[in-house]
Amino acid sequence: MSKSLLIILFVTSFISTGMAIQPAATVELKYSLEFILKTILDYKNLNYRPEIPLPELVVASKTSLKQFQDDVEPQWQMRPDIIINTFVAKLNKIYLLDEKAYYDNFERCMDDSLAHELTHYIQVKYRGSLDNESLEWDAVNTQNWFREKYCF
């Protein structure tokens, strides 16, 4: 029996017995993007500016790796092998993982990941910068603050 036929029979047997491979369990945000943004702005003593467009939010389970790579390559000068949480400044777009296992394993919530990326959004859109190493520490500190106050 050929290798291809064995693979087809294996997959068919799982599907016919109801044991098909299931997609990874996902999570959803507890809070809205706007709520998290305004909460961070208050925390940083900044005023909400409705004239600044909110970023587009894209969850990993609903996008392709190719689309993610195409979007981040100009910013990172590379094509990552996986989708990760990131703010793509020129596109005003935030990519967020939504895989439940990821958040369970690291005792985090999707909302604190969004808080981190929204901090980068604020750094760019409200303060005009994304080229300083201290900005990552600022995002991590804001994420930790948000997690402790709102996630658990």
Side-chain angles (χ1 to χ4, degrees):
M1 203 178 284
S2 75
K3 192 175 190 177
S4 308
L5 186 55
L6 281 174
I7 292 171
I8 292 169
L9 288 173
F10 178 75
V11 171
T12 305
S13 69
F14 270 103
I15 293 171
S16 66
T17 60
M19 297 173 59
I21 299 168
Q22 298 295 317
T26 59
V27 294
E28 293 183 8
L29 291 168
K30 182 176 180 183
Y31 303 101
S32 71
L33 183 146
E34 192 169 333
F35 171 82
I36 297 171
L37 173 62
K38 288 179 178 179
T39 300
I40 296 168
L41 289 169
D42 285 345
Y43 174 67
K44 296 186 171 302
N45 297 313
L46 295 169
N47 293 320
Y48 175 66
R49 295 176 45 197
E51 72 276 11
I52 298 175
L54 293 174
E56 176 185 354
L57 181 60
V58 180
V59 294
S61 67
K62 295 185 176 155
T63 194
S64 70
L65 177 59
K66 182 186 180 319
Q67 181 62 54
F68 176 73
Q69 291 170 328
D70 290 348
D71 284 355
V72 301
E73 185 175 24
Q75 182 169 303
W76 292 356
Q77 305 303 305
M78 63 171 282
R79 295 178 70 79
D81 295 331
I82 59 171
I83 297 173
I84 62 171
N85 296 330
T86 193
F87 172 59
V88 183
K90 286 189 179 177
L91 299 177
N92 197 29
K93 186 184 285 191
I94 292 175
Y95 280 93
L96 269 189
L97 295 174
D98 59 342
E99 186 177 329
K100 184 178 183 326
Y102 171 80
Y103 293 103
D104 289 348
N105 288 341
F106 293 102
E107 296 181 352
R108 294 177 44 193
C109 70
M110 190 173 172
D111 300 79
D112 75 63
S113 289
L114 180 55
H116 180 106
E117 299 310 329
L118 282 171
T119 301
H120 290 310
Y121 162 85
I122 291 166
Q123 293 163 345
V124 171
K125 300 297 184 177
Y126 283 69
R127 294 184 169 157
S129 179
L130 190 60
D131 295 327
N132 179 329
E133 285 184 31
S134 69
L135 298 178
E136 186 61 27
W137 289 112
D138 176 43
V140 168
N141 290 335
T142 302
Q143 177 178 8
N144 290 337
W145 168 82
F146 188 90
R147 180 185 312 115
E148 290 171 10
K149 186 160 176 87
Y150 292 97
C151 285
F152 304 108

